[in-house]
Amino acid sequence: MLKIAFRPEYAHPLPKNHRFPMEKYELLPEQLLYEGTVTEDNFFSPDLLSESEILAVHKKDYWDKLKNLTLSRKEERRTGFPLSAALVERERIINQGTIDAANYALQYGVAMNIAGGTHHAFTDRGEGFCLLNDIAIAAQYLLRTAKAKKILVVDLDVHQGNGTAEIFQDNPYVFTFSMHGKSNYPMHKETSDLDIELEDKTDDKTYLDLLRKTLPRLIDEQEPDFIFFQSGVDVLATDKLGRLGMSIAGCKERDKIVFEHCYNNEIPVVVSMGGGYSKKIAHIIEAHANTYRLAQDIYF
Ligand SMILES: [Zn+2]
């Protein structure tokens, strides 16, 4: 069964006219239920992530500032969200969702989180709508509990997975692969184990050819026994923040390539949702919904 982490807290209230499309966390589960891609049984409610899991990835100073709501104004502004106890709680729930999803993926081959992919969270700071790095936290959990020995992070959000790259820069058990817009945020990029930088307006064919070439090679070389997929849909041409030129069909094909490689190689995969900032919310929802539709089609 396709298990999907979700709680109503994912859709966190933001000030009016905030540029983050928070409503997608409400609309996507609604759409998936409405069209019959999932039923209520597919969803599970994660609890609050423990501090020890947080501290396995993030520096204590930083976590203390989050917990005590004492980020400086500048640090808070860099995260993109107004800091509050409810926001920190939301982040802990989402991050526990990715750990739970990892356990479900070991059982069912795939599991997903209706949020997460918070790849701009570093060991010691948050930025770009990311406070705690869910993929890093779940990866450390899998390694520590010996549920995985070698992890591949496939980060296909239009923005570089800079926080994930920093967190695992000296860790030989996690291979970080990020394919992203060259001229997109972050301007200063970290060094992932493999970075592929894409020119502005990169089209479906160029993108998909590159992915089809790269992913099987990485799986052969790295022999991962677990994959995290950051499936940001800000690769779309309609995205306000992204600079690529992909169609919704191209984005769906991208997800299909990732799932098929995981499925055919019997490597469990967790999908964290990642970004999506198209002007029309319908485009964001459609592209994210495709990822869930594909998981159902391919695995179940
Ligand atoms: Zn992004």
Side-chain angles (χ1 to χ4, degrees):
M1 166 179 253
L2 180 61
K3 298 301 278 184
I4 303 168
F6 175 68
R7 262 171 72 162
E9 288 91 335
Y10 280 24
H12 177 76
L14 287 174
K16 212 170 173 232
N17 299 326
H18 193 284
R19 67 197 173 115
F20 190 86
M22 195 57 89
E23 64 273 30
K24 77 176 181 178
Y25 300 113
E26 235 173 271
L27 294 173
L28 179 61
E30 269 178 30
Q31 173 62 31
L32 295 173
L33 286 167
Y34 169 76
E35 68 186 30
T37 296
V38 303
T39 66
E40 290 288 352
D41 291 345
N42 291 101
F43 294 108
F44 68 91
S45 293
D47 289 327
L48 213 54
L49 179 72
S50 75
E51 292 199 72
S52 63
E53 299 294 354
I54 295 168
L55 295 173
V57 165
H58 294 284
K59 297 249 169 76
K60 187 168 182 312
D61 277 5
Y62 170 54
W63 169 237
D64 285 345
K65 283 193 266 183
L66 277 183
K67 187 172 58 171
N68 302 322
L69 310 180
T70 53
L71 288 181
S72 70
R73 286 283 299 277
K74 195 175 159 202
E75 289 166 329
E76 182 184 16
R77 206 171 323 120
R78 202 159 49 187
T79 71
F81 289 144
L83 186 62
S84 67
L87 179 73
V88 176
E89 189 172 304
R90 168 189 189 263
E91 304 304 312
R92 288 175 76 170
I93 293 168
I94 291 171
N95 275 258
Q96 182 62 44
T98 302
I99 289 185
D100 294 342
N103 281 318
Y104 281 124
L106 290 167
Q107 194 179 345
Y108 297 110
V110 62
M112 307 173 80
N113 197 344
I114 298 256
T118 39
H119 57 171
H120 303 310
F122 290 71
T123 48
D124 63 350
R125 67 185 186 278
E127 55 179 61
F129 310 129
C130 302
L131 299 182
L132 301 172
N133 193 311
D134 69 312
I135 289 175
I137 285 173
Q140 287 291 31
Y141 162 82
L142 288 174
L143 292 171
R144 195 186 71 248
T145 53
K147 292 179 176 179
K149 290 191 182 68
K150 182 71 192 261
I151 292 169
L152 172 64
V153 178
V154 177
D155 189 331
L156 300 183
D157 191 278
V158 82
H159 304 103
Q160 192 206 28
N162 54 351
T164 318
E166 182 255 353
I167 290 167
F168 292 122
Q169 57 190 339
D170 299 316
N171 188 327
Y173 306 107
V174 181
F175 188 98
T176 52
F177 164 43
S178 179
M179 187 150 117
H180 49 262
K182 184 180 178 180
S183 53
N184 266 117
Y185 165 91
M187 283 306 124
H188 168 76
K189 307 229 179 357
E190 299 292 320
T191 305
S192 311
D193 291 306
L194 176 64
D195 287 300
I196 295 183
E197 303 210 303
L198 302 165
E199 299 296 333
D200 287 2
K201 301 198 164 49
T202 293
D203 61 11
D204 290 349
K205 184 174 179 337
T206 310
Y207 185 105
L208 297 171
D209 283 351
L210 260 170
L211 184 62
R212 279 194 196 99
K213 248 191 350 219
T214 308
L215 192 55
R217 178 171 65 77
L218 284 183
I219 290 174
D220 279 354
E221 286 173 6
Q222 300 302 322
E223 299 184 32
D225 56 5
F226 203 96
I227 289 179
F228 286 95
F229 174 29
Q230 210 278 22
S231 65
V233 301
D234 39 17
V235 292
L236 295 180
T238 49
D239 199 86
K240 285 183 292 184
L241 304 183
R243 303 178 68 92
L244 303 188
M246 289 188 73
S247 69
I248 289 185
C251 186
K252 183 175 187 183
E253 187 60 26
R254 173 199 75 169
D255 296 349
K256 187 162 174 248
I257 292 168
V258 176
F259 279 136
E260 286 185 343
H261 279 95
C262 295
Y263 184 82
N264 293 335
N265 290 286
E266 296 182 12
I267 305 168
V269 60
V270 162
V271 184
S272 291
M273 222 168 72
Y277 312 94
S278 289
K279 202 168 162 213
K280 288 198 172 144
I281 190 89
H283 292 154
I284 302 176
I285 299 302
E286 178 65 8
H288 280 311
N290 278 335
T291 319
Y292 292 77
R293 294 167 187 150
L294 280 167
Q296 285 285 34
D297 284 353
I298 293 170
Y299 284 84
F300 302 101

